[in-house]
Amino acid sequence: MNFEHSDERRMLADTLNRFIREQYGFATRQRICASAQGCSREVWQRLAELGAIAALFPESDGGFGGAGFDIAIVFESMGRGLVVRWSSRWSAP
């Protein structure tokens, strides 16, 4: 079994890791957690634009991934950055 990431997966991981490192530091996370909403629509919109959400769904459902490695890349990056989850109180953007 080949556990190497494809070029597309590496690019997604690099993009997400760079965004989280540069735009979602500790101070930003603390500010978001302390806000009335407890999460950031803007951050989630940006993550969607970067492909984090589409990677979780197969192409047949409008995504561009959906396989275990795709999901693992997104969750690993978001876990590393301690990204605050999307609030179920919001409707979809």
Side-chain angles (χ1 to χ4, degrees):
M1 182 174 263
N2 182 359
F3 289 106
E4 291 184 33
H5 291 305
S6 66
D7 289 340
E8 292 83 9
R9 288 181 181 133
R10 276 193 293 276
M11 188 169 35
L12 175 62
D14 291 345
T15 300
L16 291 175
N17 289 332
R18 185 174 35 259
F19 170 74
I20 291 167
R21 182 178 60 250
E22 294 174 1
Q23 304 294 318
Y24 198 82
F26 187 77
T28 300
R29 182 176 36 263
Q30 289 298 95
R31 180 182 47 78
I32 291 169
C33 288
S35 71
Q37 295 82 21
C39 55
S40 171
R41 178 181 293 269
E42 292 78 22
V43 168
W44 279 94
Q45 180 65 41
R46 185 68 177 126
L47 287 168
E49 291 168 1
L50 294 173
I53 296 173
L56 304 177
F57 297 96
E59 290 180 28
S60 61
D61 292 330
F64 59 80
F69 280 133
D70 303 308
I71 294 168
I73 286 170
V74 172
F75 286 1
E76 180 180 358
S77 294
M78 294 176 71
R80 181 180 295 119
L82 300 174
V83 175
V84 179
R85 71 174 181 82
W86 177 263
S87 174
S88 61
R89 297 176 290 176
W90 294 350
S91 60

